[in-house]
Amino acid sequence: MKKILLFTLPLVLAFFAYKTIDSKKRKKNKKPNVVVILVDDLGYQDVGFNGSKEIPTPNIDRVANEGVKFTNGYVTYAVCGPSRAGLITGRYQDRFGSGRNPLWAPNDIAQGLSLEEETIADVLGREGYKSMALGKWHLGGHEKLRPLKRGFDEFYGFLTGGHRYFPEEWTLNDISEIKQHSDAYRTKLLHNDTRVDEKEYLTDALSREAVRFVDENADEPFFMYLAYNAPHAPLQATPKYLERFSHMEKGKRKTYCAMVSAVDDGVGLLLDKIDEKKIADNTIVIFLSDNGGSKKIKANNAPLKGHKGNFFEGGIRVPFAMKWPGQIPAGTTYERPVISLDIMATAVDYAKAKPKKPLDGVNIVPYINGEKEGDPHQSLRWRNYDKNMYAVRKGDTKLIHLFNTKNQNAHFEYYNVNEDIGETTILELSADEKQELQADYDAWLEQMLVPKYLGLLKDKQYSKENPDRFNVLAY
Ligand code: CA
């Protein structure tokens, strides 16, 4: 017996040693999962990690607490559509003419994200990633512009820029019943190409499907684009979430808080599932809003000036956090500027994927964990073509060009947005300093296109020019 043991023991030990190495090697070689949680019109102040005392967001805060909070996290535009086009391609949306919010126009292939561009899902898909888009799409309603044609393997949500939240209000069976833009908020949800009879409050339904996707795909690399439309209008919440704010007066702010709380529950369920599947160490989770808080829904952007729609910090600087245990130290605060464009650049770098076009973002992880010094970006730029409004941030200095479309008056303002986050004091710059910022913007602008389609603000004009706009087949 002893002899047998002496003989077999080294073999057994060698076998286990091999297994351990093998498992470590496999883990090391596995490409990280990427989860983007995008919320809609959320105020800078309306998450715990940015100081909210009014709305408890313990689960959203886990992303920041277990990773990094960005105090200078930007998006590429101050409203939904263009911001999403920038995020999902990793390129400034004006490079390909997506500078306006797409209209609901499912016959029009130009009304959405250009087919010449690749999405994160396209690029990661070539590396074997399985991808799911959930919630708000808003990158085109034409059949060739929908999520399953843009690199995603699965879709659960709706195609337009917003949606009503209560299932009993989803009275339209398909897009053939849409007769005006706002009708699209009342269609039944889509699961891939099929309309479904969803019974849950919209935010809860999206969370449930996100959890299911992780449950089913935890063994292979995946990319999830979880685009909650909350707390975008219309303001609608269920009693379960409203009761958490029973101390507040009935009104828009109370409903808004309840809607954010519903998102927080969903983020909690998703993070719990990632932990349960033991894939947290290999999963990059990013949380951000698509633009600054909207005044209409009573979002709180303090201490920033401005709001959704303009290029003061309150329109473009958003709640932004990221976690990747083992790569990003827990509890980090990163104070240099980053932008939603960096999400794709970071993801494709670790996936060793090769986008076909050059990206405007950079892999920000080495900057966060201190491997690289300096700023990830020399400068960042924003443009609103229709309002002749633009902004540049270079270092800590920001130029903002404002234009009054009524009296045609234009003027510049300059701020130090690091020391003066609320943009309260206009800087006195020298002519050379002003010119340096302007030259930076001008060089960038040369590479940009004018918008390729009429946007939401031109709804009537578009309908007049396109009388067949709503004449589409059931889908
Ligand atoms: Ca938005």
Side-chain angles (χ1 to χ4, degrees):
M1 185 66 195
K2 240 181 188 177
K3 264 184 187 171
I4 293 168
L5 197 66
L6 279 173
F7 180 71
T8 54
L9 194 61
L11 279 179
V12 171
L13 288 175
F15 173 75
F16 278 111
Y18 167 77
K19 286 295 279 183
T20 311
I21 291 163
D22 186 49
S23 126
K24 270 187 186 161
K25 196 175 154 196
R26 265 190 290 130
K27 209 173 171 186
K28 204 178 164 194
N29 286 345
K30 197 172 172 235
K31 297 169 187 291
N33 308 307
V34 180
V35 174
V36 176
I37 304 167
L38 184 67
V39 292
D40 203 343
D41 296 0
L42 183 69
Y44 186 78
Q45 178 75 207
D46 289 327
V47 286
F49 72 78
N50 274 356
S52 179
K53 298 277 182 276
E54 199 172 21
I55 314 174
T57 56
N59 296 299
I60 294 169
D61 296 348
R62 276 166 66 187
V63 181
N65 295 340
E66 294 172 15
V68 57
K69 161 175 99 168
F70 300 107
T71 57
N72 287 252
Y74 290 95
V75 287
T76 59
Y77 202 74
V79 302
C80 314
S83 170
R84 283 152 199 266
L87 189 160
I88 207 97
T89 60
R91 288 157 53 79
Y92 280 112
Q93 63 278 357
D94 279 319
R95 286 194 187 281
F96 45 88
S98 276
R100 289 185 182 130
N101 237 344
L103 274 167
W104 175 249
N107 287 324
D108 186 352
I109 199 163
Q111 195 78 232
L113 180 63
S114 163
L115 286 172
E116 289 171 17
E117 297 300 313
E118 292 188 299
T119 68
I120 304 177
D122 282 321
V123 179
L124 295 185
R126 290 200 290 271
E127 295 302 316
Y129 278 66
K130 192 162 179 196
S131 297
M132 182 173 192
L134 298 109
K136 167 163 155 176
W137 181 240
H138 207 193
L139 294 167
H142 189 279
E143 61 177 344
K144 289 187 176 163
L145 300 177
R146 294 172 188 178
L148 297 191
K149 299 283 168 57
R150 305 313 302 262
F152 288 96
D153 300 293
E154 190 171 353
F155 174 57
Y156 196 91
F158 53 92
L159 297 167
T160 41
H163 212 270
R164 303 193 71 81
Y165 291 84
F166 299 134
E168 58 271 28
E169 296 183 19
W170 306 335
T171 51
L172 304 188
N173 288 305
D174 58 63
I175 64 170
S176 68
E177 297 181 19
I178 297 175
K179 298 300 168 206
Q180 56 185 340
H181 187 87
S182 58
D183 284 351
Y185 278 43
R186 294 193 289 116
T187 52
K188 291 186 190 304
L189 300 189
L190 275 170
H191 183 207
N192 298 331
D193 292 333
T194 308
R195 297 281 162 187
V196 292
D197 276 314
E198 174 61 57
K199 299 280 190 267
E200 284 201 84
Y201 177 60
L202 181 50
T203 301
D204 293 344
L206 299 178
S207 303
R208 182 200 70 221
E209 291 299 310
V211 167
R212 178 190 55 76
F213 181 82
V214 173
D215 206 35
E216 291 174 1
N217 294 284
D219 292 339
E220 297 300 328
F222 63 81
F223 166 55
M224 176 182 290
Y225 175 66
L226 173 53
Y228 286 109
N229 56 316
H232 189 287
L235 288 170
Q236 295 182 310
T238 53
K240 173 184 170 185
Y241 300 113
L242 285 165
E243 277 162 16
R244 295 176 187 175
F245 302 90
S246 56
H247 55 286
M248 291 175 72
E249 267 182 47
K250 195 180 170 194
K252 286 183 178 176
R253 179 68 186 171
K254 178 176 178 169
T255 309
Y256 172 94
C257 293
M259 292 168 80
V260 176
S261 197
V263 170
D264 189 69
D265 274 27
V267 172
L269 293 170
L270 180 59
L271 296 181
D272 286 349
K273 179 54 74 177
I274 289 168
D275 287 346
E276 180 200 313
K277 290 287 180 181
K278 300 192 173 14
I279 53 171
D281 285 354
N282 198 41
T283 303
I284 303 172
V285 179
I286 298 144
F287 175 91
L288 76 165
S289 180
D290 68 335
N291 48 255
S294 163
K295 267 204 302 195
K296 278 186 200 160
I297 56 171
K298 303 288 179 197
N300 181 359
N301 270 334
L304 308 180
K305 181 161 88 178
H307 46 80
K308 176 182 181 177
N310 64 47
F311 291 160
F312 290 113
E313 296 291 281
I316 50 176
R317 195 193 288 212
V318 294
F320 202 147
M322 174 175 177
K323 83 178 186 86
W324 189 8
Q327 302 288 332
I328 298 172
T332 303
T333 298
Y334 188 73
E335 298 188 317
R336 300 312 303 158
V338 299
I339 190 161
S340 53
L341 300 167
D342 299 330
I343 294 170
M344 179 161 176
T346 302
V348 301
D349 215 6
Y350 293 108
K352 299 194 167 43
K354 302 233 171 346
K356 288 178 181 161
K357 292 190 177 181
L359 302 181
D360 286 314
V362 296
N363 176 1
I364 46 175
V365 173
Y367 291 93
I368 300 163
N369 64 23
E371 281 169 33
K372 279 192 181 172
E373 289 181 358
D375 285 5
H377 301 273
Q378 286 240 312
S379 57
L380 299 174
R381 304 90 168 187
W382 298 265
R383 175 177 74 153
N384 181 323
Y385 175 82
D386 292 314
K387 290 187 179 168
N388 190 12
M389 178 168 76
Y390 58 87
V392 190
R393 176 171 176 175
K394 192 166 189 194
D396 291 337
T397 313
K398 179 176 166 188
L399 167 160
I400 177 164
H401 177 261
L402 298 155
F403 183 74
N404 187 324
T405 45
K406 284 179 188 154
N407 61 20
Q408 302 283 299
N409 281 341
H411 77 281
F412 292 94
E413 293 179 9
Y414 304 90
Y415 296 99
N416 181 321
V417 288
N418 187 27
E419 291 169 9
D420 179 20
I421 182 173
E423 294 166 293
T424 58
T425 310
I426 295 178
L427 289 180
E428 295 295 331
L429 297 184
S430 69
D432 283 352
E433 287 169 324
K434 289 177 181 175
Q435 181 49 31
E436 190 188 331
L437 290 164
Q438 186 63 44
D440 182 285
Y441 178 76
D442 291 343
W444 175 81
L445 187 64
E446 276 181 20
Q447 304 168 46
M448 302 297 126
L449 303 181
V450 298
K452 281 187 173 171
Y453 48 83
L454 289 173
L456 263 178
L457 301 175
K458 309 272 186 185
D459 196 356
K460 278 186 188 159
Q461 184 187 338
Y462 186 84
S463 289
K464 211 171 167 186
E465 291 171 9
N466 298 274
D468 290 341
R469 178 178 171 192
F470 297 116
N471 188 11
V472 288
L473 297 173
Y475 182 83

